[in-house]
Amino acid sequence: MAAQGPGNRFPQALLLLSLAVLARPPLPAVAASEPPPAALRAGHAASSLPAAAAAPRTRYLLYDVNPPEGFNLRRDVYIRVASLLKTLRKSENWVLVLPPWGHLYHWQSPDILQVRIPWSEFFDIPSLNRNIPVIEYEQFLAESGGPFIEQIYVLQGYAEGWKEGTWEEKIDERPCIDQLMYSKDKHGYYRGWFWGYEETRGLNASCLSVQGSASIVAPILLKNTSAQSVMLDRAENLLHDHYGGKDYWNTRRSMVFAKHLRVVGDEFRKKYLQSTDEADRTQYKEDWTQMKVKMATALGGPYLGVHLRRRDFIWGHREDVPSLQGAVKKIHSLLEMLKLEKVFVATDAVEEEIELLKKLLPEMVRFEPSLEELELYKDGGLAVIDQWICAHARYFIGTSVSTFSFRILEEREILGFDPKTTYNRFCGETEKNCEQPTHWKIVY
């Protein structure tokens, strides 16, 4: 049988369709600075148009942190937000949008552009995805139809403060205590920092007073708003759901450093510290879900690992931070006790202090990048390399209450080091009670 052309089969349908197109009024012109139609705003892919088949829609969770907070506290906030996402996913299909890195206080290298940095520069994205679904911000822009965030919630405390007595978890929509870090443009949309993406706009913004763990926000996101893209600003105001538990450690273990940074650290260990995974008993599995190491099985490389926090810690005259001479005295004592000849030092000390350290501590080894390496890895990448090398040392000693040191303790716990070689810190000369870090045992 000969095939029939569409002109033979559907002449009336085509005629009606042509008339409908001719009769349809032209779409209004949209200026480049104006938002797209509602169906194409953030969270609305083509599949969410009315004609599409009904499918579970994807909702996007974004977040940001108080600007002065550093790299390693932000890593801790990620763990809290990941826990919230797991709670949300019990009811709906949520994805976490990773907030681009940039403009951090400790990233002070001059002449290097350090904004709009994706997480893949520092972390292994497939590893993160083995724990929760995550996407980079650029992917969110591509999926969601443009640089629009439908709902911004700024998290804050309660104006009346915390009343002594029984701890109560609570959350309420309240007037903003501080002036919003967003301003409305001529179209009524909220403009702000947005991780350096100046073209991003918020459609709505309000404040939530919160006192409690991360998942306390879940009912608000599931019931009080239908927005497909929701941003939680000042997310550091949320506490951990289950600090130190299995869920915490799963998320922490998933935060695998980017392989290119680990390779740089491993090559440095081998060349300058005679340290390899085979000799040090620190074999690493690329799939963190398959890595369960018994405590005290790791030996570590033949060097002492040190994190010596300076700058703002000494400017604040903290009594639990030693003088440079006091730190060097402790390092020499440890080298003698451990019968080691080299010490790897990660520090934010100013140049004059570095020069003094070189004189007082000739055994010191540091990762000193070339300008090309600095531009390639950036300050965040250099911090990761320093932490990776410290994590593989025979023995580690860090700085009191430093999140940089704390992340190293966790990395060593994952690698299977003896707690006695890990949970150590310097003491200040005038400190009366030099309490050592608590051992948070890994949970599988």
Side-chain angles (χ1 to χ4, degrees), residues 315-336:
W315 298 335
H317 301 291
R318 295 182 58 93
E319 69 165 14
D320 53 357
V321 176
S323 66
L324 217 55
Q325 291 80 359
V328 168
K329 183 180 178 183
K330 178 64 175 178
I331 290 168
H332 277 139
S333 169
L334 287 171
L335 288 172
E336 186 178 345

Side-chain angles (χ1 to χ4, degrees), residues 146-171:
F148 297 89
I149 299 170
E150 290 188 26
Q151 177 66 55
I152 300 167
Y153 287 123
V154 180
L155 305 182
Q156 60 184 13
Y158 281 82
E160 63 271 25
W162 177 58
K163 296 173 182 175
E164 288 188 22
T166 307
W167 171 259
E168 178 190 6
E169 293 213 341
K170 56 183 180 176
I171 185 167

Side-chain angles (χ1 to χ4, degrees), residues 8-228:
N8 297 328
R9 295 179 65 185
F10 307 118
Q12 291 180 323
L14 271 178
L15 180 61
L16 288 171
L17 182 61
S18 302
L19 290 172
V21 171
L22 289 171
R24 183 182 175 185
L27 288 170
V30 179
S33 62
E34 292 182 10
L40 295 179
R41 289 179 190 157
H44 295 274
S47 60
S48 68
L49 296 173
R57 67 170 185 163
T58 298
R59 298 186 73 184
Y60 299 93
L61 179 65
L62 304 94
Y63 74 96
D64 204 358
V65 177
N66 193 23
E69 302 295 357
F71 184 59
N72 289 289
L73 182 123
R74 288 168 185 266
R75 288 169 64 186
D76 191 73
V77 175
Y78 170 83
I79 298 175
R80 306 176 208 180
V81 176
S83 185
L84 166 61
L85 193 90
K86 289 177 181 178
T87 300
L88 292 171
R89 286 182 59 80
K90 292 174 183 175
S91 302
E92 294 178 347
N93 182 33
W94 286 79
V95 172
L96 182 63
V97 181
L98 300 167
W101 300 94
H103 275 341
L104 299 192
Y105 166 76
H106 292 101
W107 294 0
Q108 298 185 356
S109 294
D111 308 319
I112 297 177
L113 186 64
Q114 302 197 75
V115 293
R116 296 190 176 203
I117 303 172
W119 276 58
S120 58
E121 292 281 321
F122 308 133
F123 298 96
D124 182 66
I125 303 303
S127 293
L128 296 177
N129 268 300
R130 289 190 181 101
N131 181 52
I132 57 168
V134 301
I135 58 173
E136 298 275 22
Y137 188 69
E138 295 272 0
Q139 187 179 340
F140 163 73
L141 294 179
E143 284 187 15
S144 64
F148 297 89
I149 299 170
E150 290 188 26
Q151 177 66 55
I152 300 167
Y153 287 123
V154 180
L155 305 182
Q156 60 184 13
Y158 281 82
E160 63 271 25
W162 177 58
K163 296 173 182 175
E164 288 188 22
T166 307
W167 171 259
E168 178 190 6
E169 293 213 341
K170 56 183 180 176
I171 185 167
D172 297 285
E173 193 156 348
R174 291 280 187 91
C176 299
I177 298 170
D178 299 318
Q179 184 176 348
L180 275 180
M181 299 295 286
Y182 302 92
S183 58
K184 278 191 174 183
D185 64 16
K186 63 182 180 181
H187 301 291
Y189 296 99
Y190 290 91
R191 311 300 287 262
W193 161 240
F194 292 121
W195 317 283
Y197 286 81
E198 294 176 358
E199 66 275 23
T200 298
R201 275 150 280 184
L203 275 58
N204 300 286
S206 57
C207 291
L208 292 174
S209 285
V210 60
Q211 179 177 290
S213 51
S215 288
I216 198 172
V217 186
I220 299 283
L221 304 187
L222 294 171
K223 297 173 184 175
N224 290 28
T225 177
S226 59
Q228 280 194 291

